[in-house]
Amino acid sequence: MMRKQLQAKIVLLFCALCWAFTAPAQLHRYVDPLIGSEGLGNVFIGPSCPYGMVKPGPDNDVASNSGYAADPAKPIYGFSQLHVSGTGGGPKYGNVSVMPFSGDLESIEQESVKSDEQVELGYYSVVLQKWGIQTEITTSDRAAFYHFAYQPEKAKAIKIDLGKFLGEPAIANPDAREAQQFVGSEIEIVSETEVRGYTRIRGGWNNGSAYTVYFSAVFDQPFTGFATWKNGELFPGQKMQIDSGEKTGALLSFGSSSDDLQLKIGISFLSPMKARANIDNEIPHWNFNQTLDENREKWESNFARVEVDPDASDELKTMFYTGLYHTMLMPVDRTGENPNWENKGPYYDDFYAIWDTYRSSSPLITLLTPSRQIDIVNAMLQIYKRDGYLPEARSGNCNGRTQGGSNAEVVIADAFVKGLQGINYKLALEAMLKDATVPPGGNEEKEGRGGLTDYNRLGYVSTNFVRAGNRTLEYAYDDYCLAIVARGIKRKGEYWRFIAQADNWQNLWRDIEDHGSRGFIMPKDARGNWVDSIQCDASNGRISYIPYTPVAQDWPICVCWWCGFFYEASSWEYSLSVPHDVAKLVEKSGGKEAFRKRLDTLFDKKLYNVANEPSFLSPNLYHWIGRADLSNERIHQIIDENFNSSRSGIPGNDDSGAMSSWLAFHLIGLYPNAGQSYYLINAPYFEKTVIHQENGNDFVIQAKNFNPKNKYIQSAKLNGNDFPKAWLEHNDIVVGGTLILEMGPAPSSWGAALPPPSKSDQEL
Amino acid sequence: MMRKQLQAKIVLLFCALCWAFTAPAQLHRYVDPLIGSEGLGNVFIGPSCPYGMVKPGPDNDVASNSGYAADPAKPIYGFSQLHVSGTGGGPKYGNVSVMPFSGDLESIEQESVKSDEQVELGYYSVVLQKWGIQTEITTSDRAAFYHFAYQPEKAKAIKIDLGKFLGEPAIANPDAREAQQFVGSEIEIVSETEVRGYTRIRGGWNNGSAYTVYFSAVFDQPFTGFATWKNGELFPGQKMQIDSGEKTGALLSFGSSSDDLQLKIGISFLSPMKARANIDNEIPHWNFNQTLDENREKWESNFARVEVDPDASDELKTMFYTGLYHTMLMPVDRTGENPNWENKGPYYDDFYAIWDTYRSSSPLITLLTPSRQIDIVNAMLQIYKRDGYLPEARSGNCNGRTQGGSNAEVVIADAFVKGLQGINYKLALEAMLKDATVPPGGNEEKEGRGGLTDYNRLGYVSTNFVRAGNRTLEYAYDDYCLAIVARGIKRKGEYWRFIAQADNWQNLWRDIEDHGSRGFIMPKDARGNWVDSIQCDASNGRISYIPYTPVAQDWPICVCWWCGFFYEASSWEYSLSVPHDVAKLVEKSGGKEAFRKRLDTLFDKKLYNVANEPSFLSPNLYHWIGRADLSNERIHQIIDENFNSSRSGIPGNDDSGAMSSWLAFHLIGLYPNAGQSYYLINAPYFEKTVIHQENGNDFVIQAKNFNPKNKYIQSAKLNGNDFPKAWLEHNDIVVGGTLILEMGPAPSSWGAALPPPSKSDQEL
């Protein structure tokens, strides 16, 4: 198996020479799952299908969000079947852990340092040094495929551990915040080649209720001995460990023949038999390479939607396709696997979190595979219908948590303004109105809009509520998005109410100066008084106060991470988050020149946080003052300084692909303003990009006079006509066409005459 | 089997003669599960253990709350394993239906009219006329035991149907209110004697999320043939139907030998194997009578806590012990069977609803088996801790719905003031404070206090919210209960806040006259104006208004059942619901004489609803004006006119034993004011009652000169001392003693000098 794999790699290397001819089948080689695996990226490095339910991979750090720590000294203790990618906070999943080892069935704990790790799209391989066992993994959507090559003459054994999961509190503490908590498990030796069971876990980052991961593990050869365990005690030959709230598992021995051992693990959220059916449906054979090939074909069909310049550097192509790859890891497609209601439509889970992904991930999916985004939005509407609220974040079949707004509104508006069909927008409006009118009460950490009573009464969220600053800003934009959908489906009453509320951000706009710029979103109490200082109770246990300035961060020193005025940001960053009315923001900041200085200060004084989503649009704000050239400069500067194809090539938590999708958009010269129908045009990194749309229409972005010195767009043509705008309507892409960008060495005034839309510029 | 059973009955009849000597083992014969099975009672008629998880019984009406309709023309279509008792609204459960039949395995639908129905405690027997099959059922806590006697030479067959459940909408409507909805099912022929699987259902009365009922069905002889089905299509010989969201089941044939067939069905909420373990743990044999005996022993040990006068009529004893029986059917003990969090403490489900049961069911359990009530309260606190709110109602592992207050506060206060140990009252206060301070927002139908924002801002719930009248009244009492616990654990801040809020009922007290009485709880808008008319939109679709008077009922004609000013009641009934401050109520009604007239009017003009819980305390209110004699008259009148030992002997929905526990208390001459530490003393129906307490102390209630003419208590002695109060502290019972009631033919002034406690009489 290992040799075959190496042969395959040689063929791949050879074929790189003829890439131009066989491109559609080879884009996956530009994916490096290790980008973002070191530093802050927290990406999952194991194999997955696009939006794949099963994500098998190595676990060597129970505190790691992806299960994986780059530190080679940390031994691998198992390969579990479910992971998320790029997340922060308390880990989730890491369930149904398998571990090969050599030896007798005497010890439950088995671990080994690793060597010869090899990571490709759809493929993971490692040698467990302790026993010299090579473990290779690939996966279909709902079943993982393992190939184990043991050392000759050594006893082949496998552990299946249902007591392992990520984020377990060091000492069991059933109330530990964000920790996953063990609820129960069960294991059954069904035959001499199959083991079934489940593990049930609650908690984790989203403080979710219990979820149950069912599995079926099928081997290509019979085991010759086994022991099951419960609560640490081994029971040789006992076929069942029935759920009594204890940790269970099994050790299996396969003799010491020289044959490699293969294992398929099906996963289901319905039952162990459904898990078995998922194997039988997806991998009805023992051909590892066939499953690997099918995995890659699925990715290819997604990647092939974007054909970039074949002459671009491998580095750039790797950054781009890995960006697409990361974007398409989540949310996960669990259609037919929902244990909570009828499986009659698409079901997606692991929205983790929409606060992260609405800005660029959703728009990227919409641009490349709108059919996928339609399914995702319909799944969100089903979640609203059955669970009562749209997800803001969701994992393990349970809504939670909210970081700021009810940003599902943006996702829905984005789908609506981009013309996605097959979505019940009347139902969608109902769901958005629930967010906007029904306070979540005790569940405000879980869903809906916390502080809504304030917001709807005062027009802002007062300091009576945590995260009042970003909540106010985000609700205002969410209201804008709601209004746009309401207008589109002729619901005028709702339109007029919410388009007015879209200005609510101005209620927290305080005309103060900081670092030479004027006007910031600042805290205000429920009586309407500005609040100058914020409680800080870290000084010897006594309550103290710190002055609250636009650069202040009350969290996590003064108050808890989730308890500051802004979530994970300062006022300098968040005060620019008015994506629907940048023109008004410019005006309130003192006009174009003042705004330019403000943006320059943001970036030059390092007040901008490249790793945080609220700042995703900030480098593009120069567009609204007619300075697309400055947007270009900033964006290229940010990318060049922070992103690359190395293992630490993502400057912050990838957040389910949020960072990666931001990068991917900018590499092709487009950036969406999610919830609105246009893209900002920037200088691309590729001389040519072709978007092969699902509707059959190609859209070409072509940079003329493309070279490193010609950094600036001088002019543009769309389908041969002068195109003086630095922004492009989604529909211009949908109908197909060619956008030619004339590049040059000096800044130009291209785009200045027709800035991108703003609410206050429009006839309402 | 049938013959043996008959023999056993003869022995029982004989032994009735020697009852006095063998009483502890024979009280169950005074239980008639059919009381309340006709008319409005809605009781479950099949066997159950005390608080038993499994309640197997016949289903012949999918719209019946208990599965059972007395109408003999309605054919039985199956025996399902889970039921509730006495409930109204949309049905719940009716899962895992089994049906014996004779014939080939060709048709899924099997039904038969019944004959020879025989119902006893722990035992149900019926003959399915179509095939002449006698079906007998008994049960342990978590496994049902069936004995089937087929006609000789006839083909013995069994159906296991996972697509059957109660309250299924006639045409599948996934949004039908209060209907149960099918989610999925699975079945597996595990061996020639065992079938396992599950059915997953959501919705029902409490609009709960999905619950999964796992089962294992084990036969005492191998089946010789089988067919499984999915979505109506039979698959002969196919061993599995894997969950794909369709209805599944199995038909099993057992040849035509003359042996009777026995079946044990274990149920679990964790897994099919746990269901099997529940059989093996509880019924490791095939002796039907042994299981029946064990069932009865469990009941006996509960019943034996109260020894009533052996010379009382069978009618009375039957009413009394059947009352205890109904009280102890729910909530159900699911300790170790919670799929949502760690099973480390007691877990109870089917609080259905506390609004019904807090008044008399919980106090009765506390009086007889305080250890049980401690477990129940601890389960409620676990529910708070893990689900975020205490239950007001709960079923299928999911909170929902609230009818009025957050009455868990009353249950907790009742436990506290009665000195129940082993409850974390600090945690309990935290849970009550959650109810009282954190609005449930979008979940106000599910838990917490709907309209709390109004209540905490205005001191009442305004007409902006439904059920504003009873919510205000109940929250005021809940606040009183919270305050009492706060005071008890030295939390003065909370005490002072909530003892003040306990007067909030007065904010809706309007000084108007109706039927000659003054002062009623009436609707008020959020600006503080009384509301004279209530929206009624039933007139040709146009919005109209009806005058809102103290006898008005806006529901269900004008507005939905849950949308009136009072839930299921008029102002005449509900305005008397101030259990913590009857003295103030008397004062506001115009004094003692006016209050007496008011009560007389309530009963004489039929403004009192015997079948509704808000009126449970009303006949006892005469106690507070020194007229215990009038309480006695009313209570005896109500019982004599409405309750008896016939099948329609319960005048309304038994509501999980609420009505039955009200009756049982009054039969022994005590009635609790739940949440407070005392019992009102009334003329008992039994000459002597001995409460054998768990602590070993006996408390005797002895009526002297007891005969039908001597209706009135003349005087009382407690432990030999004069006892001038018509109310008794719980602790007086706990320490043991004898209460002698001297009876006489004429009303007396006994009790008049020292009325029961009222908040406004007490030093605070």
Side-chain angles (χ1 to χ4, degrees):
Chain A
M1 188 62 207
M2 197 177 182
R3 262 168 314 220
K4 280 183 207 156
Q5 196 56 38
L6 285 174
Q7 282 169 4
K9 290 205 57 143
I10 291 162
V11 172
L12 282 179
L13 286 171
F14 171 77
C15 262
L17 304 172
C18 50
W19 179 79
F21 306 101
T22 59
Q26 300 298 333
L27 294 172
H28 69 79
R29 81 182 186 96
Y30 295 114
V31 170
D32 180 356
L34 287 170
I35 298 177
S37 65
E38 298 186 14
L40 300 171
N42 286 2
V43 302
F44 170 66
I45 66 158
S48 170
C49 288
Y51 311 95
M53 191 173 91
V54 167
K55 290 181 166 52
D59 297 318
N60 66 341
D61 186 350
V62 77
S64 161
N65 288 74
S66 66
Y68 178 82
D71 181 355
K74 290 196 170 178
I76 290 175
Y77 62 79
F79 303 87
S80 66
Q81 316 313 313
L82 295 182
H83 293 88
V84 288
S85 183
T87 63
K92 192 96 184 180
Y93 301 127
N95 317 103
V96 187
S97 178
V98 297
M99 185 70 181
F101 65 100
S102 287
D104 295 334
L105 308 188
E106 286 172 347
S107 173
I108 290 170
E109 294 311 316
Q110 301 289 351
E111 59 178 41
S112 165
V113 293
K114 66 188 178 181
S115 66
D116 302 291
E117 196 170 54
Q118 190 183 338
V119 184
E120 299 171 17
L121 181 142
Y123 177 78
Y124 176 83
S125 173
V126 73
V127 173
L128 299 169
Q129 265 194 334
K130 183 172 179 182
W131 312 285
I133 302 170
Q134 190 201 14
T135 297
E136 295 171 283
I137 321 175
T138 187
T139 189
S140 64
D141 286 302
R142 288 155 196 214
F145 200 140
Y146 290 82
H147 180 102
F148 305 107
Y150 293 78
Q151 289 298 308
E153 315 288 317
K154 295 289 183 182
K156 298 185 292 185
I158 291 283
K159 171 174 83 151
I160 299 177
D161 194 336
L162 305 176
K164 288 271 191 289
F165 52 93
L166 298 175
E168 181 169 25
I171 297 162
N173 173 2
D175 303 317
R177 185 142 176 99
E178 295 193 19
Q180 290 203 109
Q181 307 286 351
F182 184 77
V183 175
S185 71
E186 196 163 278
I187 199 159
E188 182 182 12
I189 309 294
V190 173
S191 71
E192 60 182 10
T193 56
E194 185 179 6
V195 180
R196 288 190 209 145
Y198 65 80
T199 180
R200 191 170 283 150
I201 306 288
R202 64 176 179 81
W205 173 75
N206 70 328
N207 291 326
S209 51
Y211 65 93
T212 307
V213 183
Y214 298 95
F215 78 95
S216 163
V218 179
F219 296 89
D220 69 346
Q221 51 197 268
F223 34 88
T224 54
F226 64 87
T228 56
W229 79 76
K230 176 174 277 192
N231 197 20
E233 189 183 352
L234 276 170
F235 297 87
Q238 185 168 317
K239 285 192 173 178
M240 280 188 193
Q241 295 296 343
I242 295 174
D243 192 348
S244 59
E246 305 285 356
K247 294 180 176 180
T248 64
L251 302 176
L252 312 168
S253 60
F254 295 83
S256 53
S257 73
S258 60
D259 299 343
D260 291 354
L261 176 65
Q262 293 202 119
L263 160 64
K264 297 181 288 196
I265 303 185
I267 292 293
S268 171
F269 292 85
L270 300 185
S271 76
M273 291 204 296
K274 180 67 162 59
R276 172 61 196 258
N278 285 340
I279 298 176
D280 296 343
N281 288 338
E282 297 184 349
I283 319 181
H285 56 73
W286 284 106
N287 186 333
F288 185 96
N289 279 340
Q290 182 181 336
T291 300
L292 175 58
D293 289 346
E294 287 167 2
N295 177 302
R296 289 178 171 168
E297 278 161 25
K298 285 177 185 161
W299 283 107
E300 289 295 335
S301 70
N302 281 277
F303 295 158
R305 294 280 164 212
V306 199
E307 186 184 346
V308 297
D309 178 12
D311 295 331
S313 70
D314 274 11
E315 163 92 1
L316 266 184
K317 283 187 278 193
T318 300
M319 287 165 67
F320 179 73
Y321 285 107
T322 303
L324 296 194
Y325 170 76
H326 283 148
T327 305
M328 295 172 176
L329 286 173
M330 290 162 67
V332 298
D333 183 355
R334 291 199 191 157
T335 301
E337 288 286 348
N338 185 332
N340 295 328
W341 59 77
E342 298 88 321
N343 280 298
K344 304 225 156 142
Y347 177 59
Y348 282 72
D349 197 17
D350 295 324
F351 295 90
Y352 203 157
I354 291 178
W355 185 86
D356 294 305
T357 59
Y358 80 81
R359 295 172 174 85
S360 48
S361 302
S362 289
L364 186 57
I365 297 169
T366 295
L367 179 63
L368 303 188
T369 51
S371 59
R372 177 73 70 170
Q373 187 62 15
I374 290 165
D375 280 355
I376 291 172
V377 173
N378 279 325
M380 289 166 64
L381 295 182
Q382 272 297 307
I383 289 166
Y384 155 70
K385 210 167 167 185
R386 297 286 163 241
D387 281 359
Y389 278 97
L390 288 160
E392 166 62 19
R394 183 181 181 88
S395 187
N397 296 312
C398 189
N399 279 353
R401 326 163 48 165
T402 61
Q403 304 183 71
S406 53
N407 294 303
E409 273 84 296
V410 189
V411 177
I412 290 167
D414 198 67
F416 183 78
V417 298
K418 291 175 182 172
L420 299 198
Q421 302 295 310
I423 293 168
N424 181 346
Y425 287 106
K426 206 177 139 192
L427 176 63
L429 184 68
E430 178 190 312
M432 293 192 286
L433 286 169
K434 177 84 179 275
D435 279 338
T437 61
V438 182
N443 282 323
E444 71 169 53
E445 189 178 289
K446 184 181 176 194
E447 56 203 1
R449 296 189 186 179
L452 183 66
T453 44
D454 260 20
Y455 181 79
N456 282 348
R457 190 165 54 100
L458 306 171
Y460 62 93
V461 180
S462 81
T463 47
N464 285 343
F465 291 86
V466 298
R467 308 196 298 285
N470 62 301
R471 280 172 158 170
T472 300
L473 280 164
E474 294 182 46
Y475 297 168
Y477 187 52
D478 298 337
D479 284 343
Y480 176 82
C481 290
L482 192 164
I484 294 309
V485 177
R487 184 179 61 187
I489 63 172
K490 315 267 187 271
R491 292 274 291 264
K492 290 194 178 173
E494 283 88 355
Y495 171 69
W496 287 113
R497 170 176 172 187
F498 288 97
I499 200 71
Q501 291 189 186
D503 291 336
N504 276 346
W505 61 278
Q506 299 179 33
N507 295 332
L508 287 187
W509 185 269
R510 187 175 182 185
D511 188 28
I512 53 169
E513 190 175 314
D514 188 89
H515 284 70
S517 290
R518 289 202 77 81
F520 291 90
I521 299 296
M522 296 295 282
K524 196 187 261 187
D525 71 20
R527 284 165 303 180
N529 301 317
W530 294 113
V531 173
D532 292 315
S533 58
I534 290 262
Q535 185 172 319
C536 192
D537 46 17
S539 113
N540 296 326
R542 289 197 188 168
I543 292 176
S544 62
Y545 290 84
I546 57 158
Y548 196 78
T549 71
V551 295
Q553 278 187 189
D554 42 352
W555 56 275
I557 304 288
C558 294
V559 293
C560 86
W561 193 282
W562 297 77
C563 303
F565 179 62
F566 287 110
Y567 178 68
E568 286 188 357
S570 70
S571 183
W572 256 96
E573 296 166 73
Y574 238 120
S575 292
L576 296 169
S577 280
V578 188
H580 52 309
D581 209 353
V582 182
K584 178 63 77 177
L585 184 66
V586 171
E587 179 195 322
K588 292 183 84 76
S589 296
K592 290 184 180 181
E593 183 55 22
F595 195 71
R596 186 191 60 73
K597 279 190 190 163
R598 178 177 196 144
L599 291 177
D600 288 349
T601 304
L602 176 77
F603 295 107
D604 296 340
K605 300 286 182 193
K606 312 286 185 204
L607 299 170
Y608 164 81
N609 181 355
V610 61
N612 206 13
E613 283 76 7
S615 293
F616 267 21
L617 188 66
S618 299
N620 249 130
L621 294 180
Y622 291 102
H623 268 59
W624 274 267
I625 54 170
R627 297 299 302 272
D629 57 316
L630 295 178
S631 294
N632 286 357
E633 281 181 14
R634 291 295 175 191
I635 290 161
H636 282 243
Q637 179 192 11
I638 291 165
I639 292 173
D640 296 347
E641 289 178 359
N642 296 283
F643 291 87
N644 55 59
S645 66
S646 79
R647 293 186 180 192
S648 53
I650 298 176
N653 293 165
D654 195 39
D655 287 331
S656 311
M659 299 286 291
S660 288
S661 57
W662 181 91
L663 174 67
F665 262 121
H666 280 306
L667 293 180
I668 63 171
L670 298 178
Y671 191 74
N673 192 352
Q676 301 177 60
S677 62
Y678 60 89
Y679 302 85
L680 303 160
I681 302 170
N682 296 299
Y685 278 72
F686 295 110
E687 185 168 1
K688 186 179 177 185
T689 303
V690 184
I691 302 173
H692 301 292
Q693 298 180 91
E694 281 182 346
N695 66 8
N697 298 333
D698 283 356
F699 187 79
V700 180
I701 302 166
Q702 173 93 50
K704 279 203 171 170
N705 305 318
F706 183 80
N707 70 51
K709 287 187 181 163
N710 288 342
K711 293 177 177 173
Y712 298 99
I713 301 172
Q714 307 296 310
S715 65
K717 278 184 193 298
L718 179 65
N719 303 329
N721 302 316
D722 278 345
F723 194 76
K725 300 185 301 178
W727 51 280
L728 180 73
E729 281 292 338
H730 178 73
N731 195 52
D732 291 332
I733 297 174
V734 169
V735 298
T738 301
L739 177 70
I740 307 266
L741 303 173
E742 189 77 32
M743 306 304 292
S748 81
S749 64
W750 171 75
L754 291 165
S758 286
K759 171 179 172 289
S760 42
D761 291 341
Q762 291 170 299
E763 297 260 341
L764 297 175
Chain B
M1 188 62 205
M2 198 177 181
R3 263 168 314 221
K4 281 183 206 154
Q5 194 57 39
L6 284 174
Q7 282 169 4
K9 289 204 58 141
I10 291 163
V11 173
L12 281 181
L13 286 170
F14 172 78
C15 262
L17 303 172
C18 50
W19 179 78
F21 305 101
T22 59
Q26 300 297 333
L27 295 171
H28 69 79
R29 79 182 187 96
Y30 295 114
V31 170
D32 181 356
L34 286 171
I35 297 177
S37 67
E38 298 186 14
L40 299 172
N42 286 2
V43 303
F44 170 66
I45 65 158
S48 171
C49 288
Y51 312 93
M53 191 173 91
V54 167
K55 288 182 167 53
D59 297 317
N60 67 341
D61 186 351
V62 76
S64 162
N65 288 74
S66 67
Y68 177 81
D71 181 356
K74 290 196 171 178
I76 288 175
Y77 63 79
F79 303 88
S80 65
Q81 315 314 313
L82 295 181
H83 293 88
V84 287
S85 183
T87 63
K92 193 95 184 181
Y93 300 128
N95 316 103
V96 186
S97 178
V98 297
M99 185 70 180
F101 64 99
S102 288
D104 297 333
L105 308 187
E106 285 171 348
S107 172
I108 292 171
E109 294 311 316
Q110 302 286 352
E111 59 178 42
S112 164
V113 293
K114 65 187 179 182
S115 67
D116 302 291
E117 195 169 53
Q118 192 181 337
V119 184
E120 300 171 15
L121 181 142
Y123 177 76
Y124 176 84
S125 173
V126 73
V127 173
L128 300 169
Q129 267 196 331
K130 183 170 178 181
W131 312 285
I133 302 170
Q134 190 202 13
T135 297
E136 296 171 282
I137 321 176
T138 187
T139 189
S140 65
D141 286 301
R142 288 154 196 213
F145 199 140
Y146 289 83
H147 180 103
F148 304 108
Y150 293 79
Q151 289 298 308
E153 315 288 317
K154 295 288 185 183
K156 298 185 290 187
I158 291 283
K159 171 175 83 151
I160 299 176
D161 193 335
L162 305 177
K164 288 274 191 286
F165 53 93
L166 298 175
E168 181 169 26
I171 296 162
N173 173 1
D175 304 318
R177 184 144 177 97
E178 295 193 19
Q180 290 202 112
Q181 307 286 351
F182 183 78
V183 175
S185 71
E186 195 162 278
I187 199 160
E188 181 181 13
I189 309 295
V190 174
S191 71
E192 61 183 9
T193 56
E194 185 178 7
V195 180
R196 288 189 209 145
Y198 65 81
T199 181
R200 192 170 283 150
I201 305 289
R202 64 177 179 81
W205 173 75
N206 70 329
N207 293 325
S209 51
Y211 64 93
T212 306
V213 183
Y214 298 95
F215 78 96
S216 163
V218 179
F219 296 89
D220 70 346
Q221 51 198 265
F223 34 89
T224 53
F226 64 87
T228 57
W229 79 78
K230 176 174 277 190
N231 197 19
E233 188 183 353
L234 276 170
F235 297 87
Q238 184 169 316
K239 285 192 173 177
M240 280 188 194
Q241 295 295 344
I242 296 174
D243 192 348
S244 58
E246 305 284 356
K247 294 179 176 179
T248 63
L251 301 176
L252 312 168
S253 61
F254 296 84
S256 52
S257 73
S258 60
D259 299 342
D260 291 353
L261 177 65
Q262 294 201 118
L263 160 65
K264 297 182 286 198
I265 303 185
I267 292 294
S268 171
F269 292 86
L270 298 185
S271 74
M273 291 205 295
K274 180 66 162 58
R276 171 62 196 256
N278 285 340
I279 299 176
D280 296 343
N281 287 339
E282 297 184 349
I283 318 180
H285 57 73
W286 285 106
N287 187 334
F288 184 96
N289 279 341
Q290 181 180 336
T291 300
L292 175 58
D293 289 346
E294 288 167 0
N295 177 303
R296 287 177 172 169
E297 279 162 24
K298 285 178 186 161
W299 283 108
E300 288 295 337
S301 70
N302 281 278
F303 296 158
R305 293 279 163 213
V306 199
E307 186 184 345
V308 297
D309 178 12
D311 296 330
S313 70
D314 275 10
E315 164 90 2
L316 267 183
K317 284 188 277 194
T318 300
M319 287 166 68
F320 178 73
Y321 286 107
T322 304
L324 296 193
Y325 170 77
H326 283 150
T327 305
M328 295 172 176
L329 287 173
M330 291 162 67
V332 297
D333 183 356
R334 290 199 190 157
T335 301
E337 289 284 348
N338 184 332
N340 295 328
W341 59 76
E342 297 88 322
N343 279 298
K344 305 225 155 143
Y347 177 60
Y348 281 72
D349 197 18
D350 295 325
F351 296 90
Y352 202 158
I354 291 177
W355 185 85
D356 294 305
T357 59
Y358 80 81
R359 294 172 174 85
S360 48
S361 302
S362 290
L364 187 55
I365 296 168
T366 294
L367 180 61
L368 302 189
T369 50
S371 59
R372 177 74 68 171
Q373 188 64 14
I374 290 165
D375 280 355
I376 291 172
V377 173
N378 279 326
M380 290 167 62
L381 295 183
Q382 271 297 308
I383 290 165
Y384 156 70
K385 210 165 167 185
R386 297 284 163 242
D387 281 0
Y389 278 97
L390 289 160
E392 165 63 19
R394 183 182 181 88
S395 189
N397 296 315
C398 188
N399 279 353
R401 326 162 51 165
T402 61
Q403 304 183 73
S406 51
N407 294 304
E409 273 83 296
V410 189
V411 177
I412 290 167
D414 199 67
F416 183 79
V417 297
K418 291 174 181 169
L420 299 198
Q421 303 295 310
I423 293 169
N424 181 347
Y425 288 105
K426 205 176 140 194
L427 176 64
L429 183 68
E430 177 190 313
M432 294 193 284
L433 286 169
K434 176 85 179 273
D435 279 339
T437 61
V438 182
N443 282 324
E444 71 169 53
E445 189 178 290
K446 185 181 176 194
E447 57 202 0
R449 297 189 185 179
L452 184 65
T453 45
D454 260 20
Y455 180 79
N456 281 349
R457 190 166 54 100
L458 306 171
Y460 61 93
V461 181
S462 81
T463 48
N464 285 343
F465 291 86
V466 298
R467 308 196 298 287
N470 63 301
R471 279 173 159 170
T472 299
L473 281 164
E474 295 182 47
Y475 296 169
Y477 188 52
D478 298 337
D479 284 342
Y480 176 82
C481 290
L482 192 163
I484 294 309
V485 177
R487 184 180 60 187
I489 62 171
K490 314 265 187 275
R491 291 273 291 263
K492 290 194 177 173
E494 282 89 354
Y495 170 69
W496 288 113
R497 171 177 172 186
F498 288 97
I499 200 70
Q501 290 189 187
D503 290 337
N504 275 345
W505 60 277
Q506 299 180 33
N507 295 331
L508 288 187
W509 186 270
R510 188 176 181 185
D511 187 28
I512 53 169
E513 190 176 313
D514 188 89
H515 284 69
S517 290
R518 290 203 74 83
F520 291 89
I521 298 296
M522 296 295 282
K524 195 187 264 189
D525 70 20
R527 283 164 305 179
N529 301 316
W530 294 112
V531 172
D532 292 316
S533 58
I534 289 264
Q535 186 171 318
C536 193
D537 46 16
S539 115
N540 295 325
R542 288 197 190 169
I543 293 176
S544 62
Y545 291 84
I546 57 159
Y548 195 79
T549 72
V551 294
Q553 278 187 190
D554 43 350
W555 57 276
I557 305 287
C558 293
V559 293
C560 86
W561 193 281
W562 297 78
C563 304
F565 179 62
F566 287 109
Y567 179 68
E568 286 188 357
S570 71
S571 183
W572 255 97
E573 296 166 73
Y574 240 120
S575 293
L576 297 168
S577 279
V578 188
H580 52 310
D581 208 352
V582 181
K584 177 63 77 178
L585 184 67
V586 171
E587 178 195 323
K588 292 183 83 78
S589 295
K592 290 184 180 179
E593 182 55 21
F595 194 71
R596 188 192 58 73
K597 280 190 189 162
R598 179 178 195 145
L599 290 177
D600 288 348
T601 304
L602 175 77
F603 295 107
D604 296 340
K605 299 288 183 194
K606 313 285 185 204
L607 299 170
Y608 163 81
N609 181 356
V610 62
N612 207 12
E613 283 75 6
S615 293
F616 267 21
L617 188 67
S618 299
N620 249 129
L621 294 181
Y622 292 101
H623 267 59
W624 275 267
I625 56 170
R627 295 300 303 273
D629 58 316
L630 294 178
S631 294
N632 287 356
E633 282 182 14
R634 290 297 174 189
I635 290 160
H636 282 243
Q637 178 192 11
I638 290 165
I639 291 173
D640 296 346
E641 288 177 1
N642 296 282
F643 290 88
N644 55 58
S645 67
S646 78
R647 295 186 180 191
S648 52
I650 299 176
N653 294 164
D654 194 40
D655 288 329
S656 311
M659 300 286 291
S660 288
S661 56
W662 181 91
L663 174 67
F665 262 121
H666 280 306
L667 292 179
I668 63 171
L670 298 178
Y671 190 75
N673 192 354
Q676 300 176 61
S677 61
Y678 60 89
Y679 302 85
L680 303 161
I681 303 171
N682 297 299
Y685 277 73
F686 295 110
E687 186 169 0
K688 185 179 177 187
T689 302
V690 184
I691 302 174
H692 301 291
Q693 298 179 91
E694 282 182 344
N695 66 8
N697 298 334
D698 281 357
F699 188 79
V700 180
I701 303 166
Q702 174 92 50
K704 280 203 172 171
N705 304 318
F706 183 80
N707 70 50
K709 287 186 182 163
N710 288 343
K711 292 178 179 173
Y712 299 98
I713 301 172
Q714 308 296 309
S715 64
K717 280 186 194 293
L718 180 64
N719 303 329
N721 302 314
D722 277 345
F723 195 75
K725 299 184 301 177
W727 51 280
L728 180 73
E729 282 293 338
H730 179 74
N731 195 54
D732 291 332
I733 297 175
V734 169
V735 298
T738 301
L739 178 70
I740 308 263
L741 303 173
E742 190 75 33
M743 306 305 293
S748 80
S749 64
W750 171 76
L754 292 164
S758 285
K759 170 179 172 290
S760 41
D761 291 341
Q762 292 169 299
E763 297 260 341
L764 296 174

